[in-house]
Amino acid sequence: MSEMSDKIRERVEKWLESLDETEKAQAELLDSYFTFRRNLPEEDKGLGRAVEEPKTTEDIIDDLMPMMNMSKDVVVGWLISHDYHITTVADGSPRWAIWRYVDTSVLT
């Protein structure tokens, strides 16, 4: 999978320095959640092609709520610092542009 650019790594490190311990724990959970998700559509030799999975901030919080209460500010800060952008879906509403690697062999 693609490595983080130096520019993004520097932005992430600066953002992480601004967090308290609880927020840092939330950021770690987001790191895990985004292990198989990307900010751009790409293909990985081992994982295949990523599929579009746009989500709202609330969608992400709902996914993670069983593990930990999440702050909207931390989720948004994580996404922005990791170079995620907004897309518009068919109904005109905004979502975070996210692509996820999915094992398509289990879908058939």
Side-chain angles (χ1 to χ4, degrees):
M1 290 190 276
S2 66
E3 291 297 317
M4 193 182 301
S5 74
D6 289 340
K7 180 181 173 184
I8 293 173
R9 185 180 330 282
E10 184 178 315
R11 185 179 351 162
V12 169
E13 288 172 5
K14 184 176 180 180
W15 174 73
L16 283 170
E17 289 173 7
S18 73
L19 302 179
D20 65 28
E21 292 306 308
T22 299
E23 293 167 332
K24 286 179 182 176
Q26 292 175 41
E28 281 186 41
L29 182 56
L30 286 162
D31 288 342
S32 179
Y33 180 76
F34 280 92
T35 298
F36 295 104
R37 291 174 171 89
R38 295 290 172 264
N39 60 345
L40 294 170
E42 59 183 51
E43 192 162 333
D44 180 272
K45 289 182 183 184
L47 299 172
R49 184 143 185 84
V51 297
E52 192 172 17
E53 184 187 57
K55 291 186 175 240
T56 65
T57 303
E58 286 295 327
D59 291 336
I60 296 166
I61 289 171
D62 288 347
D63 289 348
L64 297 174
M65 192 57 70
M67 296 295 295
M68 175 185 302
N69 288 327
M70 299 296 294
S71 158
K72 273 187 180 183
D73 290 340
V74 171
V75 174
V76 170
W78 192 98
L79 289 160
I80 290 170
S81 69
H82 286 77
D83 211 27
Y84 280 78
H85 301 280
I86 303 293
T87 188
T88 304
V89 295
D91 70 1
S93 60
R95 300 280 190 277
W96 290 103
I98 300 170
W99 282 265
R100 186 176 93 167
Y101 293 107
V102 178
D103 182 357
T104 55
S105 67
V106 298
L107 300 176
T108 56

